[in-house]
Amino acid sequence: MPFMKGDWSRMAARGVRFVRRTLRDEWHAIVVEPARQLVRRGLSGLVLAFVAAFGVIFFHGIAQHPFGRRLVWHLGGVTADLPLWLSLLRTPVSLYVPALDLPVWAGITQLFLAFALAELTLGRARTLAVAYVTTLAGTMTARVMVALGPGWWGFGLPPEVGRILDTGPSAAVVGLFTYLAVVRRAPVVFTLTGGSMVWESIAVPNLAGREHLIAVAAAIVLGLLHGHRLPFPARLAERLDTTPSSPPRSDPPIPRPGPPRHPVPSFRLP
């Protein structure tokens, strides 16, 4: 039975209501609630955002001089041909080392916004964990790609790619936005973040685009696991629980009630 004109109009009205409701919920989840947290907590809720922004500015200013560039490289420069222990040691600092061929101020704006929204929504510990894990996922995957070599249906990379500098803070920014979009159910932010990364990897097929895609995938997995207590971390948390089950030794012992005592009769000689 063909659709009538009224059926199409009702379907269009439902679609408009769905889009309006989705945009309203996403606006409250991504903008309104973090703004309320900022009003409640003040500038103390933006500590990570300020540290990340000033860290990028600091390392960018140092890297403008030849000696400073070598210093920044030895502190936070990560490439796929480095030893694994050295890459792991430099990865936390690489979050503040921007790419020298990209506009730094646009990157700082995105970095500050990503860390600010994540810190106000997720807290400092989870924000740092997501930023580090997504960055580390991109770095480790790049090592695997270079180790495999050319081929492997386009997954492997030639050895000379191993000397290219890591993405730096951009992978953390992509990971934080994706994680927020999954946790807060924000399809618009998810589409803009993931879609831009897919377009970047297609338009400019380089190592950075692949690492960004890996960061998006890692953030999706972390977002889907949000709120679920895994068996091993739960058992570890129970083992590390230091809540005392008995009073400290310095306190006097607490008497425990025992069975009632009856007086024993005593015999006295006259």
Side-chain angles (χ1 to χ4, degrees), residues 6 29 133 233:
V133 169

Side-chain angles (χ1 to χ4, degrees), residues 128-185:
L128 288 175
V130 172
Y132 181 75
V133 169
T134 52
T135 302
L136 189 62
T139 301
M140 294 296 103
T141 307
R143 297 179 65 90
V144 174
M145 292 178 181
V146 174
L148 291 176
W152 295 87
W153 297 281
F155 184 77
L157 293 173
E160 57 268 16
V161 179
R163 295 188 293 270
I164 299 177
L165 192 65
D166 198 21
T167 56
S170 59
V173 172
V174 172
L176 288 174
F177 274 126
T178 305
Y179 185 86
L180 283 173
V182 174
V183 171
R184 307 301 290 178
R185 292 178 175 85

Side-chain angles (χ1 to χ4, degrees), residues 28-148:
H28 280 275
I30 300 297
V31 179
V32 176
E33 292 184 10
R36 291 174 180 173
Q37 291 290 333
L38 180 60
V39 172
R40 186 181 301 113
R41 297 168 57 183
L43 293 179
S44 62
L46 301 177
V47 173
L48 289 182
F50 282 114
V51 169
F54 285 121
V56 172
I57 295 174
F58 174 75
F59 282 108
H60 179 74
I62 291 179
Q64 301 306 311
H65 306 280
F67 175 77
R69 179 172 298 188
R70 291 194 299 270
L71 179 62
V72 170
W73 157 250
H74 287 293
L75 290 177
V78 177
T79 57
D81 60 351
L82 286 177
L84 179 60
W85 67 270
L86 190 57
S87 295
L88 295 176
L89 189 63
R90 294 182 180 181
T91 298
V93 185
S94 69
L95 294 174
Y96 307 102
V97 179
L100 299 178
D101 56 343
L102 295 178
V104 65
W105 294 109
I108 289 175
T109 304
Q110 298 176 3
L111 181 71
F112 183 87
L113 184 60
F115 272 89
L117 291 176
E119 185 177 2
L120 292 172
T121 306
L122 308 172
R124 293 175 186 171
R126 191 176 295 272
T127 299
L128 288 175
V130 172
Y132 181 75
V133 169
T134 52
T135 302
L136 189 62
T139 301
M140 294 296 103
T141 307
R143 297 179 65 90
V144 174
M145 292 178 181
V146 174
L148 291 176

